[in-house]
Amino acid sequence: MKKIGIYLGSFNPVHMGHLVIANSIVNETELDEVWLVLSPMSPDKLIKTTSDVHRFEMLKIALEGVNHMKASDIELALPRPSFTINTVNHLKKNFPSYSFSLIIGEDNAAGFKNWKQADQLVDFFQNIFVYPRLMDQKSNQRD
């Protein structure tokens, strides 16, 4: 069974921090791949400035030639705002033989219990990997 890490984000823009996190997770776990899933409209970020297509193209360029990571646009065809449960239902239907783990920042982990159908998310994901959020304490901006 192929083991995939799902790293959701607006990637506005994608940067080295995203790639370092994904690379660390794939190298320090038993995951076969990490999919960086472009989220078109997160429920907590309803304002965006860069188009989905442009952000996805930047994500693909950032991952060119990178082993064990791929850009994924699966959320672009799902209802908006992008609830993770919708992504999970898509993964269940389209990749039934894969095992999935979730990759989130500690800021998101703190409020995870408030995510839509959080109990079903916990049941679906093999693991939930939480990475520390190193950001300016004065800033509320997340990417």
Side-chain angles (χ1 to χ4, degrees):
M1 175 176 291
K2 194 166 189 177
K3 296 178 182 178
I4 306 297
I6 298 297
Y7 183 6
L8 306 162
S10 59
F11 303 111
N12 191 21
V14 62
H15 53 72
M16 286 303 296
H18 296 124
L19 303 181
V20 167
I21 290 164
N23 190 56
S24 293
I25 296 287
V26 80
N27 285 327
E28 296 175 18
T29 67
E30 294 182 1
L31 295 177
D32 298 309
E33 275 183 338
V34 170
W35 294 357
L36 285 81
V37 179
L38 182 74
S39 296
M41 184 184 291
S42 173
D44 64 340
K45 294 185 207 175
L46 298 178
I47 298 173
K48 64 177 182 185
T49 57
T50 308
S51 77
D52 298 340
V53 171
H54 186 72
R55 287 182 296 121
F56 187 64
E57 288 303 314
M58 289 189 295
L59 188 57
K60 287 192 316 188
I61 290 168
L63 295 175
E64 280 180 5
V66 177
N67 292 326
H68 308 294
M69 286 186 252
K70 79 172 205 173
S72 174
D73 62 353
I74 60 174
E75 284 197 350
L76 296 184
L78 298 177
R80 296 179 190 196
S82 301
F83 290 103
T84 304
I85 193 65
N86 295 337
T87 306
V88 161
N89 290 331
H90 175 84
L91 295 171
K92 282 181 189 177
K93 179 180 176 184
N94 292 287
F95 303 95
S97 63
Y98 287 19
S99 167
F100 291 95
S101 293
L102 181 64
I103 303 165
I104 59 174
E106 65 186 347
D107 55 331
N108 287 319
F112 185 80
K113 66 180 187 289
N114 299 321
W115 288 22
K116 186 175 182 178
Q117 300 177 347
D119 54 334
Q120 290 181 31
L121 298 177
V122 170
D123 290 342
F124 174 75
F125 288 112
Q126 182 79 24
N127 295 293
I128 298 178
F129 298 109
V130 179
Y131 60 87
R133 180 62 97 182
L134 304 174
M135 62 183 242
D136 180 352
Q137 295 300 317
K138 296 176 189 174
S139 173
N140 244 355
Q141 184 178 12
R142 300 183 310 171
D143 47 16

